[in-house]
Amino acid sequence: MSQPRVTAEDSAATPGPPVPAAHGDVGSPEHGSGGESTGTVVVAGVANLGIAIAKLVGGLISHSSAMLSEAAHSLADTITEVLLFIALKRGDRPADDRHPFGYGRETYFWAFMASLCTFVLGAGFSVWQGISTILHGEEQGDPLVSYIVLAIAFVLEGSSLVKAVRQVRGAARKWRVSPARYLQATTDTTVKAVTFEDSAALVGLVLAALGLFLEHLTGSAVWDGAAAILIGLLLLAVAISLGRANVSLLIGQAASERIEEELRQEIAALPHVDDVSFLLTSVIGPGQLVVAAKVDFADDATATDIESTADEAERRLVARHEGVRYVFLDPTTSDGNAQVQAHRPTSGHPEE
């Protein structure tokens, strides 16, 4: 029997609303947020470019290492938004003969490159600038311009963060989970990157202002250098967090155990199905999930029964689980001879 394959067109044509994930779990990968994610990325990118220029001017006037570190931070964020925009556009291309599952995972490649940009340009420069200032000191300039730039940057960064938070909260309400849980489990790493980077940017602005204030209060450049180092460490933490999430998805991350169990139960409840002996899932892009299962059909099931059950399986999974894009069923026996062994760590999914 040929393996059933579900396409996006099949999903659109299937009646019935998707079933939201159970409380406390972001079940299937979210779908339909591409346009909103693009808007979030564009707003963040434009804001960061203007902020980077303003911070650079303020840093040159005040001779502040923390301000220059913040300028590098905003420049890194701007380049990051460009890479995330590329990720969204290239990952949204339709499937073709060479890439039958589409280009969804390319999103994670470009998002990973964006995290490297944050690590090298943002964290690396900030730490180096801070250490240099502590060791060699710096000439103190007029801090007024820097304070004005920091205040304006705080408003702009805050506006960008508000848009990202609204998107996160809306998606979290849809899946009936907390925003924190949604950010941890979402496969849309672009909105995760914007949320993390804008949050880090606001903290970085406070650190830069505090370092600048203490430097002019005490006359010691150590405070400004320390603020620059803290900004760098903050960016390092963000880069590592985003990098790990993107690597996991790029390799081919499975859906959560809860959703896999729901999928297994859906298939097992179908007519003529005795058991689902083995089930695998893999995220193939934002809002895209492939499901493969070995199914033990009843001994008296005919070829027609198996085909109709397979058709019902793909209709049901696509209708009730919004992220499912492809379904492959393999008839097998219950004696174990045709089964394969799953090579998974006994501790489950470390990222959950």
Side-chain angles (χ1 to χ4, degrees), residues 46 52 90 98 133 155 170 192 221-222 235 243 248 278 294-295 310 321:
V46 172
R90 293 189 62 83
R98 288 184 58 83
T133 298
V155 173
K192 178 189 290 188
V222 171
L235 291 175
S248 179
F278 185 70
K294 284 185 172 291
V295 179
H321 299 272

Side-chain angles (χ1 to χ4, degrees), residues 82-92 103-104 106-111 190:
V82 172
L83 293 173
L84 292 177
F85 184 79
I86 294 173
L88 288 170
K89 294 305 178 182
R90 293 189 62 83
D92 198 38
Y103 291 81
E106 188 171 352
T107 301
Y108 305 131
F109 169 77
W110 290 104
T190 53

Side-chain angles (χ1 to χ4, degrees), residues 256-268:
S256 68
E257 292 182 1
R258 182 190 298 270
I259 268 302
E260 286 194 342
E261 182 58 30
E262 290 179 4
L263 293 170
R264 184 189 300 274
Q265 292 177 5
E266 291 275 6
I267 298 174

Side-chain angles (χ1 to χ4, degrees), residues 100-314:
F101 291 137
Y103 291 81
R105 283 184 182 165
E106 188 171 352
T107 301
Y108 305 131
F109 169 77
W110 290 104
F112 177 72
M113 296 300 293
S115 66
L116 287 182
C117 174
T118 300
F119 174 81
V120 175
L121 288 181
F125 179 84
S126 296
V127 172
W128 173 81
Q129 186 71 21
I131 293 175
S132 178
T133 298
I134 292 175
L135 293 178
H136 306 293
E138 65 183 8
E139 178 185 355
Q140 293 188 13
D142 185 0
L144 180 60
V145 175
S146 292
Y147 288 135
I148 294 175
V149 170
L150 289 173
I152 296 175
F154 196 91
V155 173
L156 294 177
E157 294 281 12
S159 300
S160 176
L161 179 61
V162 166
K163 179 173 176 58
V165 168
R166 284 176 179 171
Q167 182 179 352
V168 169
R169 286 180 175 176
R173 283 195 300 269
K174 173 183 176 181
W175 295 108
R176 294 184 294 174
V177 297
S178 67
R181 172 59 181 159
Y182 174 81
L183 280 175
Q184 179 186 11
T186 180
T187 62
D188 186 355
T189 56
T190 53
V191 70
K192 178 189 290 188
V194 173
T195 304
F196 280 21
E197 288 170 358
D198 284 348
S199 299
L202 292 179
V203 176
L205 291 171
V206 173
L207 290 174
L210 183 61
L212 194 63
F213 172 74
L214 291 175
E215 179 189 27
H216 283 80
L217 182 66
T218 64
S220 173
V222 171
W223 293 106
D224 194 46
I229 293 175
L230 289 176
I231 291 171
L233 295 178
L234 177 65
L235 291 175
L236 179 62
V238 171
I240 292 175
S241 176
L242 293 176
R244 289 183 60 187
N246 283 295
V247 166
S248 179
L249 289 164
L250 184 61
I251 294 172
Q253 181 175 297
S256 68
E257 292 182 1
R258 182 190 298 270
I259 268 302
E260 286 194 342
E261 182 58 30
E262 290 179 4
L263 293 170
R264 184 189 300 274
Q265 292 177 5
E266 291 275 6
I267 298 174
L270 292 168
H272 309 294
V273 174
D274 285 346
D275 185 36
V276 180
S277 56
F278 185 70
L279 183 140
L280 280 178
T281 61
S282 182
V283 175
I284 56 175
Q288 301 174 42
L289 186 70
V290 61
V291 180
K294 284 185 172 291
V295 179
D296 178 24
F297 287 93
D299 293 338
D300 59 352
T302 65
T304 301
D305 292 334
I306 294 176
E307 289 178 358
S308 62
T309 301
D311 290 339
E312 176 61 23
E314 67 181 35

